[in-house]
């Protein structure tokens, strides 16, 4: 018996970007979008076009680049938002406007300060206006899981009648419970007279760790679109993780009446790319994409897997993209081999000069470490992207001295707005000393919220990837740096974050959304 299609709606570039400090450049969004397209994601929500000129440019760039997936922009149920979204999506082969308004009593009363009838009228007007730009309009009932059922039915029926082809009832605050949330959809679909004219969608947040469970429960109750993100990225505790949704549906095909069109072999490379760009490391025990997801240390488990894989593994690691690269790159690798590996990762270069620069970076790294892995290649491009940020602070040189029982010392040479400067400092370790030296020069008045080190690959010659999160005046940014020398990587990450704070177009406060 043929199964129904489950639409995979990826919102990594929009809701995922609302994680504090996870803001992405236009070029980074396009890189991720290309990988999502390669994975055959059905809908890519590229951003919130009205939010800023940078968001508009990013949505437009993704719309003009992606050919096979539908490109979507979020818009509040406001004329200016919808017009801006429509303008950004003009170049898309297939476009969608995703408009929303809050429908729960608490949101309508305290946030919107509107009566239900006013909300209903605004929703209808927004859907009709969006239909002027595209036939594919999605309407979301923000805070839907806490909305009153009768009003939910009225606004859903009205939105479909106005032209919405997808109805999303999100669990905006992560309050839902699987049985309750799934039953809500079943009841809603049965109660709305024109429900057969639309696809129902779920968008779950993970505040109680139930986003994936809630989403799958909704599928069992008639939902045919899931909104999710790579690595479960998203504001607060994140969103439902795309990789978990896709592999749950595939692995338990005996249970779920749906199937996706996702090419799962691209899941792990895409996960690594998103992690590298955002600076959010994937925890080792993360399902599907964590480093330990297919590792077995217990002797009983190892023995069982060796005798018959399915004794302890319900999926093949190769099916999600683990261990698929058999080509070893090193200092003797040529330009053609490096270019071919980049292309296998979904990375293409707009010009020969761009390829030459990437190859030059590859050669510099190959002189420092014996084998170059896919993660190293992703990191090379992410580092290049961070250095392309408008740079107020440029690293010239760093020297560190560390000895047990004594304070560490660091000397930093920087170029600050074109002027060479040098500073010395002591600290409890070489990184602490280096950061104190930098601050003695730049006096950023920022707070260090996070310092995280992650080995990009195995081996003692691995690059260390450092993530630094800084906050100043309510703006939060993540700086990323990579190097085989962890002190150098740390300095690069700190300066990247400082440059982002000096370039407001790259950073943003939290934004409203579903």
């Amino acid at each position: 018996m043929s199964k129904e299609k489950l639409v995979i709606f990826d919102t990594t570039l929009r809701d995922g970007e609302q994680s504090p400090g996870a803001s992405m450049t236009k070029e980074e969004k396009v890189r991720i979008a290309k990988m999502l397209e390669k994975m055959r994601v059905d809908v890519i929500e590229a951003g919130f076009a009205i939010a800023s000129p940078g968001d508009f440019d990013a949505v437009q760039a993704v719309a003009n680049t992606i050919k096979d997936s539908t490109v979507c922009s979020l818009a509040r149920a406001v004329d200016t938002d919808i017009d801006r979204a429509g303008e950004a999506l003009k170049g898309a082969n297939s476009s969608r406007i995703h408009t929303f308004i809050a429908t729960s009593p608490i949101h309508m009363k305290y946030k919107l300060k509107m009566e239900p009838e006013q909300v209903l009228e605004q929703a209808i007007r927004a859907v009709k206006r969006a239909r002027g730009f595209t036939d594919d309009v999605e309407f979301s009932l923000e805070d839907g899981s806490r909305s009153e059922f009768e009003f939910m039915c009225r606004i859903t029926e009205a939105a479909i009648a106005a032209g919405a082809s997808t109805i999303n009832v999100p669990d905006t605050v992560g309050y839902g419970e699987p049985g309750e949330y799934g039953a809500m959809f079943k009841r809603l679909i049965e109660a709305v007279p024109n429900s057969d004219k639309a696809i129902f969608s779920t968008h779950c947040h993970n505040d109680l760790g139930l986003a994936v469970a809630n989403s799958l429960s909704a599928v069992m109750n008639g939902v045919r679109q899931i909104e999710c993100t790579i690595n479960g990225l998203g504001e607060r505790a994140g969103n439902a993780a795309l990789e978990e949704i896709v592999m749950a549906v595939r692995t338990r095909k005996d249970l779920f009446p749906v199937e996706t069109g996702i090419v799962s072999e691209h899941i792990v490379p895409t996960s690594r790319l998103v992690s590298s760009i955002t600076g959010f490391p994937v925890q080792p025990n993360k399902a599907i994409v964590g480093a330990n997801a297919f590792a077995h240390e217990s002797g009983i488990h190892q023995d069982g897997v060796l005798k018959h894989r399915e004794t302890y593994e319900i999926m093949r690691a190769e099916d999600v993209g683990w261990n698929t690269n058999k080509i070893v790159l090193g200092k003797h690798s040529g330009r053609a081999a490096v270019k071919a590996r980049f292309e296998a990762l979904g990375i293409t270069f707009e010009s020969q000069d761009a390829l030459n620069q990437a190859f030059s970076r590859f050669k510099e790294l190959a002189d420092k470490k014996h084998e170059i892995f896919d993660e190293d290649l992703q990191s090379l491009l992410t580092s290049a992207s961070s250095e392309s940020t408008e740079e107020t602070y440029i690293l010239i040189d760093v020297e560190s001295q560390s000895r047990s029982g004594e304070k560490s010392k660091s000397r930093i040479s920087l170029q600050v707005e074109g002027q060479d400067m040098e500073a010395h400092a002591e600290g409890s370790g070489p990184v602490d000393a280096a950061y104190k030296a930098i601050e003695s020069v730049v006096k950023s008045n920022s707070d260090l919220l996070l310092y995280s080190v992650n080995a990009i690959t195995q081996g003692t010659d691995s690059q260390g990837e450092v993530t630094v999160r800084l906050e100043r005046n309510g703006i939060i940014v993540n700086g990323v740096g990579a190097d085989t020398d962890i002190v150098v990587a740390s300095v690069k990450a700190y300066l990247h974050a400082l440059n982002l704070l000096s370039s407001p177009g790259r950073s943003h406060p939290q934004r409203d959304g579903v």
Side-chain angles (χ1 to χ4, degrees):
M1 186 176 71
S2 62
K3 294 190 174 186
E4 292 185 66
K5 171 72 177 292
L6 178 63
V7 176
I8 298 298
F9 177 114
D10 183 276
T11 185
T12 304
L13 304 181
R14 199 277 299 172
D15 206 344
E17 194 195 25
Q18 288 182 213
S19 301
S23 181
M24 309 170 203
T25 64
K26 176 177 69 176
E27 292 75 18
E28 288 167 345
K29 281 196 172 188
V30 170
R31 281 178 63 196
I32 293 173
K34 285 180 177 179
M35 283 299 289
L36 295 174
E37 180 182 40
K38 192 172 184 180
M39 199 192 300
R40 295 184 188 167
V41 163
D42 300 292
V43 184
I44 300 171
E45 190 166 49
F48 201 165
I50 194 69
S52 69
D55 263 38
F56 177 89
D57 290 343
V59 173
Q60 188 176 62
V62 173
N64 292 343
T65 302
I66 298 304
K67 304 305 178 189
D68 297 328
S69 301
T70 295
V71 180
C72 175
S73 174
L74 188 67
R76 291 168 300 183
V78 177
D79 290 355
T80 51
D81 278 39
I82 293 166
D83 294 349
R84 194 69 168 152
E87 179 68 23
L89 294 168
K90 270 185 179 178
N93 268 11
S94 175
S95 65
R96 174 182 294 188
I97 292 178
H98 178 191
T99 187
F100 71 95
I101 192 167
T103 56
S104 66
I106 190 171
H107 275 232
M108 289 190 288
K109 181 178 180 180
Y110 294 106
K111 189 180 79 169
L112 298 180
K113 301 186 186 304
M114 294 171 66
E115 294 297 322
E117 291 303 319
Q118 294 174 300
V119 171
L120 180 63
E121 290 173 10
Q122 191 164 324
I124 294 169
R125 186 169 62 249
V127 171
K128 288 181 176 179
R129 192 174 189 91
R131 279 297 299 262
F133 293 97
T134 176
D135 291 338
D136 190 348
V137 175
E138 176 173 341
F139 174 71
S140 282
L141 293 72
E142 186 188 4
D143 203 24
S145 59
R146 294 194 297 175
S147 298
E148 293 179 343
F149 185 72
E150 182 182 348
F151 184 64
M152 189 189 304
C153 290
R154 287 183 62 205
I155 200 167
T156 296
E157 182 180 354
I160 295 171
S165 53
T166 301
I167 297 294
N168 179 43
V169 188
D171 185 25
T172 303
V173 295
Y175 183 72
E177 178 275 330
E180 174 188 68
Y181 188 62
M184 177 198 73
F185 274 105
K186 185 175 188 298
R187 187 180 173 203
L188 179 64
I189 292 169
E190 290 175 350
V192 173
N194 56 356
S195 63
D196 61 320
K197 301 294 193 301
I199 291 174
F200 282 75
S201 174
T202 174
H203 178 118
C204 294
H205 284 267
N206 206 37
D207 298 72
L208 294 176
L210 296 171
V212 170
N214 281 331
S215 299
L216 294 174
S217 175
V219 168
M220 298 300 286
N221 285 278
V223 160
R224 292 297 177 262
Q225 175 179 284
I226 291 184
E227 303 185 10
C228 46
T229 61
I230 299 296
N231 300 335
L233 194 66
E235 58 184 317
R236 304 190 314 277
N239 288 18
L242 178 148
E243 59 276 6
E244 296 176 25
I245 296 289
V246 168
M247 294 313 295
V249 169
R250 178 171 299 186
T251 304
R252 292 306 310 273
K253 56 189 174 185
D254 60 316
L255 181 66
F256 292 103
V258 294
E259 59 187 2
T260 76
I262 297 295
V263 181
S264 61
E265 288 79 5
H266 299 305
I267 284 177
V268 168
T270 307
S271 166
R272 289 170 173 169
L273 174 62
V274 170
S275 176
S276 176
I277 285 176
T278 61
F280 283 62
V282 176
Q283 66 196 60
N285 62 326
K286 169 74 174 65
I288 316 299
V289 294
N292 292 346
F294 293 90
H296 301 277
E297 184 170 338
S298 162
I300 295 173
H301 285 211
Q302 290 173 344
D303 180 63
V305 169
L306 289 171
K307 289 176 177 175
H308 187 67
R309 181 187 60 81
E310 292 181 357
T311 53
Y312 286 101
E313 286 189 357
I314 59 173
M315 298 169 283
R316 294 195 320 149
E318 295 86 347
D319 289 344
V320 295
W322 286 107
N323 303 319
T324 55
N325 178 18
K326 302 301 181 184
I327 301 174
V328 177
L329 296 177
K331 65 188 298 182
H332 300 296
S333 298
R335 193 183 314 266
V338 174
K339 180 184 177 184
R341 193 62 215 153
F342 271 122
E343 289 176 347
L345 294 172
I347 300 166
T348 55
F349 298 95
E350 295 180 358
S351 65
Q352 186 64 34
D353 184 55
L355 171 61
N356 291 342
Q357 289 181 28
F359 185 66
S360 177
R361 288 175 178 274
F362 165 81
K363 283 294 189 180
E364 289 176 13
L365 180 59
D367 283 335
K368 297 178 182 178
K369 64 190 303 264
H370 180 60
E371 292 183 5
I372 308 297
F373 297 90
D374 288 351
E375 299 93 325
D376 292 311
L377 297 180
Q378 298 280 22
S379 179
L380 285 177
L381 289 196
T382 302
S383 297
S385 175
S386 68
E387 291 171 15
S388 69
T389 304
E390 186 175 337
E391 293 187 294
T392 303
Y393 311 106
I394 299 173
L395 176 64
I396 298 173
D397 187 40
V398 55
E399 179 182 336
S400 60
Q401 179 182 335
S402 185
R403 186 173 181 178
S404 58
E406 296 183 7
K407 281 199 165 186
S408 297
K409 299 176 182 178
S410 284
R411 177 188 62 81
I412 298 287
S413 296
L414 299 175
Q415 190 177 93
V416 181
E417 295 180 338
Q419 181 181 354
D420 290 353
M421 305 185 76
E422 185 171 297
H424 300 255
E426 293 185 343
S428 58
V431 173
D432 183 48
Y435 284 9
K436 286 177 177 174
I438 293 171
E439 279 298 329
S440 71
V441 172
V442 306
K443 297 178 173 59
S444 70
N445 296 314
S446 62
D447 293 322
L448 178 63
L449 304 182
L450 173 74
Y451 172 80
S452 172
V453 181
N454 184 45
I456 293 177
T457 60
Q458 68 265 34
T460 55
D461 65 348
S462 168
Q463 287 192 95
E465 188 170 65
V466 175
T467 300
V468 168
R469 185 173 300 161
L470 297 182
E471 186 271 335
R472 183 172 67 195
N473 299 328
I475 298 295
I476 299 174
V477 296
N478 277 354
V480 181
D483 199 275
T484 52
D485 185 320
I486 203 64
V487 178
V488 175
S490 300
V491 170
K492 286 180 177 179
Y494 198 82
L495 292 178
H496 181 208
L498 290 176
N499 283 321
L500 292 177
L501 284 177
S502 302
S503 176
R506 169 67 191 263
S507 57
H508 58 70
Q510 291 295 90
R511 295 193 294 262
D512 195 16
V514 296

